[in-house]
Amino acid sequence: LITRRVVMHLETWDRTHLKAQNETFGRQRASGAPFGKTSEFDEIELSGDNSAPDTSHTFLAKSAGTQILRRSYSYASGVNERGSLDAGLLFISFQRDPAQFIAIQSALGLEDKMNEYITNIGSGVFACFGGVSRDKNDYIGKRLFS
């Protein structure tokens, strides 16, 4: 499990034109759908007329060639000492090996347009046991010891 706290510079983001927001994410803001698609869970295309810009968050993450199970949760903690909103995401991801997460972060690197609107302020890596099956002889951690 990898966690990351990401501050979103909402004041800047909110002043950005919708077209630029879509191009930054590589998705349609209204639906979450990838470019040229209708549903949030439609497959992302890396080439062709329906592909996202090559500096978009979605394009760069997908081009890393690995997959993670990810989820983010919004947070809002009021106003910081500079008078800006302290809000953003708590991002979590599950992967078999931290190298998968690192590959995606390396692909995002300096080219990700999202970097204009976020600051990563903390990360953590945790080892988690896999789940258990319905087999009565299964238990948490069994695969580590078999």
Side-chain angles (χ1 to χ4, degrees):
L1 166 74
I2 294 180
T3 63
R4 180 167 270 188
R5 185 170 176 204
V6 181
V7 172
M8 184 112 188
H9 308 297
L10 294 173
E11 294 91 343
T12 305
W13 179 254
D14 287 344
R15 287 191 303 265
T16 302
H17 190 275
L18 178 60
K19 182 178 186 292
Q21 289 181 358
N22 289 342
E23 290 172 351
T24 297
F25 267 116
R27 293 181 174 273
Q28 301 298 323
R29 182 174 168 188
S31 65
F35 279 26
K37 305 293 179 136
T38 57
S39 172
E40 177 182 2
F41 299 104
D42 288 345
E43 188 64 27
I44 297 163
E45 294 182 23
L46 294 180
S47 63
D49 293 340
N50 291 329
S51 68
D54 60 2
T55 58
S56 72
H57 191 75
T58 300
F59 180 93
L60 292 167
K62 181 75 171 177
S63 69
T66 189
Q67 291 185 334
I68 59 176
L69 180 61
R70 60 174 175 63
R71 176 70 188 206
S72 58
Y73 299 92
S74 297
Y75 76 88
S77 298
V79 177
N80 65 24
E81 63 279 356
R82 293 181 312 277
S84 298
L85 291 173
D86 182 10
L89 300 172
L90 176 61
F91 175 88
I92 65 169
S93 65
F94 293 93
Q95 50 279 306
R96 293 188 189 281
D97 186 327
Q100 292 169 268
F101 181 82
I102 292 167
I104 293 171
Q105 292 304 305
S106 295
L108 295 173
L110 298 175
E111 294 183 55
D112 185 6
K113 290 207 38 100
M114 184 62 79
N115 290 335
E116 297 176 34
Y117 306 102
I118 63 169
T119 301
N120 296 301
I121 61 168
S123 297
V125 179
F126 303 89
C128 296
F129 292 112
V132 296
S133 70
R134 293 185 182 265
D135 177 358
K136 67 180 182 173
N137 295 319
D138 199 7
Y139 54 89
I140 293 177
K142 181 176 183 179
R143 284 176 271 174
L144 290 175
F145 306 111
S146 344

